[in-house]
Amino acid sequence: MIRAIRTGQRTRLGLNALTLLMVLLAAGCSTTPSSRYHIQNDRGPDGDVDLSHLKEPTPRKEPRSRGGNKSPYSVWGKTYYVMNTSDGYVEEGVASWYGTKFHGYKTSNGETYNMYDYTAAHKSLPLPTYVRVTNLENGRSVIVRVNDRGPFHGGRLIDLSYAAAKKLGYDKKGTARVRVEVVTEATTPAQVAHAATSKPVVTSAPAPAPTPTSSGAAQGYFLQVGAFSTELGAIKVRNHISSLLDAPVFVSKPETDSIYRVRVGPFVKEEEAARFLDILQRAAYPETMLIKRSLNNPSI
């Protein structure tokens, strides 16, 4: 009787071990990636593809998409902000591209990604936005429609579709140094080129009504975030602050010097300006200071 019980225990243990072994073998042979994508490593299409027939999208005014414009949002523990407006945006940085791995999957605004369309992903531009991307290494440019979020890898400014990267000539090397400039339905190529060198204008809500002083001069409170020797550096900071604050942000340059100053305002009340001052000082701009200037010439 005891012998029979022990024999049954060995049989059950053997079956359990066999079952566990089969499960482990099945898991080891599985080729299904852990992510939602059908392959783990991104790549371009197999073989060379002729994309000479593709036409660049025509910039037009579109409402913000229902998806992809939540602000702030978090990815991998880091928080990002969507800009209140894309007007006047221009920035230089590193562009990457994405292809087969994401082909056919949903973009952040709910559309289907097609690596053979001229589209792009950006972390903070409103969706959709049209931008001209210029490869600074060879001078090639392309207009793309931003309809996705990313890239979330350090040091990259924009992620282009495979087609756009191929047109810019860096599909074989992976990344390129580029300039990204927002274009609108009324923007001509000449205007786009001029935008990189012209003085930017206020890119947020209209300024509040001026506050007269005892002397009769209209003055207001401003926040000066920083002063820069190049306009491009000032524009980059202005664009970032526009994504943080619901307040007018602009770049000023007095005729008396060559310094570009990023300022926020004007504000009617000092208390209101102080509230935004606290936000900026906490958001990596500790040198921001409160100033009072004439509304007729706030660049002084």
Side-chain angles (χ1 to χ4, degrees):
M1 183 67 176
I2 295 176
R3 179 182 179 86
I5 292 174
R6 289 178 177 174
T7 301
Q9 288 176 339
R10 287 197 297 270
T11 302
R12 287 194 298 272
L13 290 173
L15 290 174
N16 291 337
L18 180 60
T19 301
L20 178 61
L21 178 61
M22 294 177 65
V23 170
L24 292 175
L25 288 174
C29 296
S30 175
T31 57
T32 303
S34 59
S35 71
R36 69 187 180 99
Y37 304 105
H38 63 289
I39 59 175
Q40 291 181 318
N41 299 316
D42 197 13
R43 64 173 186 268
D46 296 330
D48 192 27
V49 179
D50 182 14
L51 302 178
S52 60
H53 63 285
L54 291 182
K55 294 184 179 180
E56 297 179 20
T58 301
R60 60 188 179 90
K61 188 175 182 180
E62 295 186 55
R64 289 198 179 198
S65 59
R66 296 183 64 181
N69 283 309
K70 178 184 177 182
S71 184
Y73 67 96
S74 298
V75 176
W76 298 336
K78 187 174 182 179
T79 301
Y80 300 90
Y81 296 85
V82 178
M83 295 178 182
N84 293 323
T85 176
S86 62
D87 293 347
Y89 175 86
V90 54
E91 189 167 357
E92 293 182 2
V94 176
S96 50
W97 61 269
Y98 58 133
T100 304
K101 177 178 178 178
F102 305 92
H103 185 69
Y105 290 89
K106 295 293 184 181
T107 62
S108 296
N109 74 342
E111 298 174 354
T112 300
Y113 173 64
N114 184 347
M115 66 180 183
Y116 302 117
D117 285 340
Y118 290 134
T119 60
H122 193 278
K123 292 184 285 289
S124 57
L125 283 172
L127 303 182
T129 296
Y130 293 85
V131 298
R132 179 183 295 276
V133 184
T134 303
N135 187 339
L136 298 178
E137 299 170 9
N138 57 25
R140 298 183 187 179
S141 66
V142 63
I143 291 179
V144 297
R145 182 173 175 269
V146 180
N147 67 346
D148 204 1
R149 289 287 171 229
F152 298 109
H153 299 284
R156 298 183 185 180
L157 174 63
I158 194 169
D159 224 357
L160 299 186
S161 64
Y162 167 79
K166 184 176 177 63
K167 183 160 187 177
L168 293 186
Y170 74 93
D171 55 301
K172 301 299 183 183
K173 57 183 294 187
T175 61
R177 186 78 181 173
V178 299
R179 178 185 297 114
V180 179
E181 303 160 294
V182 166
V183 294
T184 65
E185 56 184 341
T187 306
T188 66
Q191 289 172 323
V192 171
H194 178 67
T197 57
S198 62
K199 180 183 292 187
V201 297
V202 175
T203 61
S204 295
T211 302
T213 64
S214 58
S215 62
Q219 293 188 330
Y221 294 97
F222 294 83
L223 301 178
Q224 181 163 306
V225 182
F228 304 85
S229 60
T230 64
E231 186 176 21
L232 182 59
I235 290 174
K236 288 181 179 180
V237 173
R238 183 208 64 183
N239 291 340
H240 182 232
I241 294 176
S242 294
S243 70
L244 297 175
L245 303 180
D246 185 16
V249 186
F250 63 99
V251 175
S252 68
K253 179 184 174 298
E255 297 179 358
T256 55
D257 60 35
S258 58
I259 301 300
Y260 297 89
R261 297 171 175 84
V262 178
R263 289 180 175 170
V264 183
F267 302 97
V268 175
K269 297 181 179 180
E270 184 176 0
E271 294 79 6
E272 184 182 12
R275 181 170 64 87
F276 284 96
L277 174 66
D278 181 65
I279 294 175
L280 287 173
Q281 289 180 339
R282 292 173 180 269
Y285 296 100
E287 303 301 322
T288 303
M289 58 183 177
L290 178 65
I291 59 176
K292 194 173 185 179
R293 292 292 185 272
S294 167
L295 293 179
N296 296 326
N297 192 1
S299 64
I300 296 176

